[in-house]
Amino acid sequence: MLKSLTIKFNKVKPSEGSNENIQDPDPSSESRQATGQGENKNEKKSLKTKMPPVSAEESQTKIQDKVSEKNTHEDKTTNPDSQNPTASTGAKPEQKEMGTGKEDPVSKPPVINEYADAQLHSLVRRLRQRTDFYKRKLVEADMSSPESSPQTDRFYLLWLSLVTIAFNWNCWFIPLRMVFPYQTPHNTHYWLITDLVCDTIYLFDLLLIQPRLQFMRGGDIIVDSNELKRHYRNSTKFQLDMASIMPFDVFYLFFGFNPIFRTNRMLKYTSFFEFNHHLESIMNKAYIYRVIRTTGYLLFTLHINACMYYWASSYEGIGSTRWVYDGEGNKYLRCYYWAVRTLITIGGLPEPQTLFEIVFQLLNFFSGVFVFSSLIGQMQDVIGAATANQNNFRICMDHTIAYMNTYSIPKIVQNRVRTWYEYTWASQRMLDESDLLETLPTTMQLALTVDVNFSVISKVDLFKGCDTQMIYDMLLRLKSIVYLPGDFVCKKGEIGKEMYIIKQGEVQVLGGADGTQVLVTLKAGAVFGEISLLAARGGNRRTANVVAHGFANLLTLDKKTLQEILVHYPDSEKLLMKKARVLLKNKAPGTGATPPNKGLAFLFPPKQETPKMFKALLGSSGKAGLARLLTLKREQTAQRKDKDQEENYISDMVATGAARVNTENQGYSSKLSRAKA
């Protein structure tokens, strides 16, 4: 019994000592520890009363043995650092003091190092803050990055389409139900159900959708819900939406089911125009929708005119005169036909008889001429805007052809020019892409060029590892050139000034003795001529002919542009020079080839010529090699003797000439002295 109790006591004891090292920031922890010690003392007394009588010496020795074993084991596991004796010595008295008690079974884990524990907690807290920050950015759709731009929400566009359908229902059928007798007591409930659905859409848009729309203020996107509601309530759109949803339908109870009380539903026209704007912004061919919309305006105008004609006929009396509707056939189709003939001013209509009919017809003619001419003019503008680029292409092509005819350019050249125009227009629907990009801000230009050309530039080994911003600057300077089949991109012996990137099509590298052998065919994404960009003073000549195999669209970057860019990126310039040396070594020709270009001398020093004696030893062996070596030695000795003789001859000639000049000078001086005497 005593043995089991001592083992249980020793198992609890180390955790008590470890808990003493934990600093509890709560001031009530001391009271908790005091109460815990009191409970432990009470438990100890109860255990003493239940234990059988044993000798004090035996129990004391067993307890001391267990305590010493447990302490030594704890020192090895929890305190491996032997350089901190103060912490270990400070823990022993606490263990001795707590050795008489029993710890609560729910205890905190032991803390090995308080500083490390605090650092870990701080790291976890920072990681959580970072995670929350990025979650918030994803939810709020941060638009500060130049690579991202706000887009129309598809859900909101679908909702606007639903609101537009409800608005068109009211615009088309309210006048129809007001004038034509299509709403009868037998089908009134169907009309009421449809009206209720449209009103529900209006109300839902007013209360839930519009107050949540974000807006711009001072260049910032406002996302606060209170600000969004306040902005919507202060807008004109809110006033029109409120007016369109006013429940004038309650007058049905007093005046019957008259659709005139729903006329205010047509005031929600702002959502209709907003839907048109968003739909045009996402369509590839927006002019098609503009034509359809303009046609809808024309049909709606004819619809209103047909309703007014039937109302005038009802006012005068159906079939009362030759001018009014006679009541035969389909009411709506007959009135619509009359409206079409009146607005288009075809003629052949019955003459009005009464004063009311004459005034109505005059107003109808005036309004018809104005509305119809406006719609026709708008249709012409839409179609003209859709074909503006094609008209510009035709004008440029006609001017070029007129120029070539003026100067009698050969027909072969004229045909190639026409082919270039037609292919360029068919491939990219414009003659020069730079004209389009120049109208956009730099951020938009960069976004377009990155999406179109960055994947191609990133494959160039020469630019891998360079500054990303430098790559972006290069993308903005790239020029697109279209080559016809058989055109020379570059010729052998030309000075390299550009780098070429194949965007579309293929080119062939020609070589051989006659320069017609196809060495390699380069396809889309390949790069050639990049080494010529790094020549300091030029002089890097092309080593082969490059010909377009079919139509080819190439991106070019000239040397001057690259040097202007590298001025701002010195680190990238050093990296490019280093890579250029490696590429030049890989592409350098072997011995016996042409000497290195002078323009690239700054990249690597010229190789010294191998001595002839060393070449002889490397080229042969044995007696033949030794005989050849002796022959070369004799030749060199003979050359030296000839050179010495030539130098001696020249020196003798110089001495003879000098002596002759001295003799002549002496004779001249003697004659001069005689003449003076």
Side-chain angles (χ1 to χ4, degrees):
M1 181 68 179
L2 179 61
K3 186 176 181 180
S4 61
L5 289 173
T6 54
I7 293 173
K8 183 177 181 181
F9 169 75
N10 289 327
K11 288 182 179 179
V12 177
K13 183 178 179 179
S15 62
E16 291 175 356
S18 61
N19 286 335
E20 288 292 335
N21 295 330
I22 302 175
Q23 297 178 357
D24 192 356
D26 191 359
S28 62
S29 60
E30 296 179 358
S31 61
R32 293 175 186 170
Q33 291 178 359
T35 54
Q37 291 178 0
E39 292 176 359
N40 292 334
K41 290 179 180 179
N42 295 332
E43 291 177 358
K44 183 179 178 183
K45 291 180 181 179
S46 62
L47 288 173
K48 286 182 178 180
T49 56
K50 293 181 181 179
M51 285 191 298
V54 294
S55 61
E57 295 178 357
E58 183 181 356
S59 61
Q60 185 70 19
T61 55
K62 289 183 178 181
I63 291 173
Q64 290 179 354
D65 294 336
K66 295 293 182 180
V67 169
S68 61
E69 292 176 1
K70 198 68 177 179
N71 288 336
T72 54
H73 178 69
E74 182 182 1
D75 292 337
K76 292 180 180 180
T77 56
T78 62
N79 192 14
D81 189 2
S82 61
Q83 297 179 359
N84 192 8
T86 59
S88 61
T89 56
K92 289 181 180 179
E94 293 175 357
Q95 291 177 359
K96 291 181 180 179
E97 291 177 0
M98 298 297 294
T100 58
K102 182 179 180 182
E103 187 180 312
D104 189 24
V106 180
S107 60
K108 297 182 180 179
V111 177
I112 300 174
N113 192 329
E114 294 181 1
Y115 176 76
D117 184 70
Q119 291 296 323
L120 288 175
H121 280 81
S122 177
L123 178 62
V124 171
R125 184 174 62 257
R126 290 198 300 268
L127 289 175
R128 288 177 179 175
Q129 292 176 356
R130 182 183 179 186
T131 304
D132 295 338
F133 172 74
Y134 282 106
K135 284 182 179 179
R136 191 163 56 252
K137 286 186 67 175
L138 290 175
V139 172
E140 295 177 357
D142 183 37
M143 308 310 298
S144 61
S145 176
E147 287 80 7
S148 61
S149 58
Q151 298 179 357
T152 303
D153 189 1
R154 299 286 179 170
F155 172 77
Y156 181 61
L157 185 61
L158 292 176
W159 172 254
L160 282 179
S161 65
L162 188 61
V163 176
T164 302
I165 292 173
F167 170 75
N168 280 279
W169 170 270
N170 291 321
C171 289
W172 284 78
F173 284 96
I174 287 176
L176 182 71
R177 292 158 59 187
M178 288 172 55
V179 177
F180 289 93
Y182 287 132
Q183 180 175 325
T184 62
H186 301 286
N187 60 9
T188 303
H189 58 283
Y190 296 111
W191 295 104
L192 290 178
I193 292 173
T194 309
D195 293 342
L196 182 61
V197 172
C198 294
D199 294 346
T200 304
I201 294 174
Y202 278 25
L203 188 63
F204 193 82
D205 182 69
L206 174 68
L207 298 178
L208 299 180
I209 302 299
Q210 296 299 328
R212 297 184 179 182
L213 293 181
Q214 300 177 3
F215 65 95
M216 300 288 295
R217 178 189 293 170
D220 296 331
I221 301 177
I222 306 302
V223 297
D224 183 65
S225 59
N226 296 327
E227 289 289 335
L228 297 180
K229 293 178 182 178
R230 189 180 301 108
H231 177 265
Y232 174 62
R233 291 170 183 172
N234 295 332
S235 62
T236 306
K237 185 177 182 181
F238 173 75
Q239 299 175 2
L240 293 174
D241 292 347
M242 285 294 298
S244 65
I245 203 63
M246 293 297 292
F248 294 115
D249 306 66
V250 295
F251 290 107
Y252 286 171
L253 302 176
F254 305 100
F255 302 99
F257 294 101
N258 192 345
I260 196 173
F261 299 118
R262 294 185 53 84
T263 310
N264 62 321
R265 301 297 189 271
M266 292 188 288
L267 294 175
K268 201 173 178 62
Y269 60 87
T270 55
S271 297
F272 172 72
F273 290 112
E274 186 179 1
F275 170 74
N276 292 330
H277 172 71
H278 288 306
L279 186 61
E280 290 179 6
S281 63
I282 65 173
M283 292 185 66
N284 295 328
K285 297 181 179 180
Y287 68 90
I288 297 177
Y289 176 74
R290 296 191 188 105
V291 172
I292 296 174
R293 185 185 60 193
T294 305
T295 305
Y297 291 159
L298 177 61
L299 296 178
F300 180 74
T301 304
L302 296 173
H303 170 75
I304 297 298
N305 196 8
C307 293
M308 293 177 63
Y309 175 67
Y310 188 83
W311 172 81
S313 300
S314 300
Y315 179 79
E316 286 287 309
I318 302 296
S320 59
T321 62
R322 296 180 60 238
W323 182 82
V324 299
Y325 170 60
D326 56 3
E328 297 180 359
N330 188 285
K331 304 178 181 61
Y332 180 76
L333 290 180
R334 289 294 183 92
C335 295
Y336 201 90
Y337 174 75
W338 182 90
V340 171
R341 297 190 63 178
T342 303
L343 288 181
I344 302 178
T345 63
I346 295 177
L349 295 173
E351 295 293 332
Q353 303 295 328
T354 64
L355 178 63
F356 174 80
E357 294 176 356
I358 293 174
V359 173
F360 183 89
Q361 189 68 15
L362 288 175
L363 295 176
N364 201 16
F365 277 140
F366 288 139
S367 60
V369 171
F370 175 75
V371 172
F372 191 74
S373 60
S374 300
L375 292 176
I376 294 299
Q378 185 177 0
M379 187 77 72
Q380 183 180 1
D381 293 339
V382 170
I383 298 176
T387 59
N389 290 334
Q390 188 172 4
N391 294 333
N392 186 27
F393 157 72
R394 292 295 179 186
I395 292 172
C396 292
M397 187 173 179
D398 293 342
H399 289 171
T400 305
I401 293 175
Y403 172 83
M404 292 188 296
N405 292 332
T406 302
Y407 290 95
S408 302
I409 304 299
K411 291 296 182 181
I412 298 177
V413 179
Q414 293 189 18
N415 292 333
R416 291 182 65 82
V417 172
R418 289 192 182 94
T419 304
W420 181 87
Y421 268 104
E422 293 174 356
Y423 174 78
T424 303
W425 172 256
S427 60
Q428 57 190 21
R429 311 304 294 177
M430 63 182 64
L431 296 178
D432 191 1
E433 296 178 351
S434 60
D435 294 340
L436 173 63
L437 296 177
E438 287 177 356
T439 59
L440 299 175
T442 306
T443 305
M444 297 296 102
Q445 293 182 20
L446 180 60
L448 291 177
T449 53
V450 166
D451 292 337
V452 175
N453 300 326
F454 183 75
S455 59
V456 179
I457 289 292
S458 60
K459 297 178 182 178
V460 181
D461 295 334
L462 189 63
F463 300 122
K464 288 183 179 179
C466 294
D467 192 347
T468 306
Q469 191 60 41
M470 190 210 74
I471 302 297
Y472 289 164
D473 290 346
M474 287 177 50
L475 291 175
L476 293 174
R477 305 290 188 90
L478 289 176
K479 295 181 180 180
S480 178
I481 300 178
V482 176
Y483 290 91
L484 301 182
D487 283 351
F488 279 90
V489 179
C490 58
K491 294 183 179 180
K492 183 177 180 180
E494 289 182 347
I495 302 299
K497 298 180 181 179
E498 298 95 3
M499 176 190 73
Y500 297 94
I501 304 172
I502 303 177
K503 183 179 179 181
Q504 186 179 4
E506 298 179 355
V507 298
Q508 292 179 343
V509 181
L510 304 181
D514 54 354
T516 58
Q517 181 182 357
V518 179
L519 302 179
V520 65
T521 300
L522 304 177
K523 299 183 179 180
V527 180
F528 59 94
E530 66 271 19
I531 302 300
S532 63
L533 296 181
L534 300 176
R537 295 184 300 273
N540 185 20
R541 297 183 179 273
R542 306 293 188 186
T543 58
N545 295 328
V546 180
V547 181
H549 181 63
F551 293 95
N553 190 351
L554 306 183
L555 300 174
T556 63
L557 179 68
D558 57 16
K559 185 187 305 180
K560 181 179 179 181
T561 302
L562 181 62
Q563 291 176 353
E564 292 176 355
I565 295 174
L566 291 178
V567 170
H568 306 286
Y569 304 97
D571 295 337
S572 299
E573 184 179 8
K574 294 178 182 178
L575 180 61
L576 288 177
M577 294 301 178
K578 183 178 179 180
K579 287 189 174 184
R581 295 188 188 99
V582 176
L583 293 176
L584 286 171
K585 288 180 181 178
N586 295 335
K587 295 183 179 181
T591 57
T594 58
N597 297 323
K598 296 181 180 179
L600 297 177
F602 72 100
L603 293 177
F604 57 92
K607 185 178 179 181
Q608 297 181 356
E609 186 179 0
T610 306
K612 295 181 179 180
M613 295 177 62
F614 189 67
K615 286 182 179 180
L617 290 175
L618 293 176
S620 57
S621 60
K623 295 182 179 180
L626 184 58
R628 187 176 180 183
L629 180 60
L630 294 174
T631 304
L632 290 174
K633 184 64 176 176
R634 294 192 192 97
E635 292 177 357
Q636 289 180 358
T637 304
Q639 290 177 359
R640 289 176 183 174
K641 290 181 179 179
D642 295 340
K643 188 175 182 180
D644 294 340
Q645 292 177 359
E646 186 176 353
E647 290 178 353
N648 294 332
Y649 175 76
I650 292 173
S651 60
D652 293 340
M653 292 294 292
V654 171
T656 304
R660 187 177 300 171
V661 170
N662 291 332
T663 305
E664 292 178 355
N665 289 337
Q666 291 176 0
Y668 178 75
S669 58
S670 61
K671 289 180 181 180
L672 184 61
S673 59
R674 291 175 185 174
K676 288 181 179 180

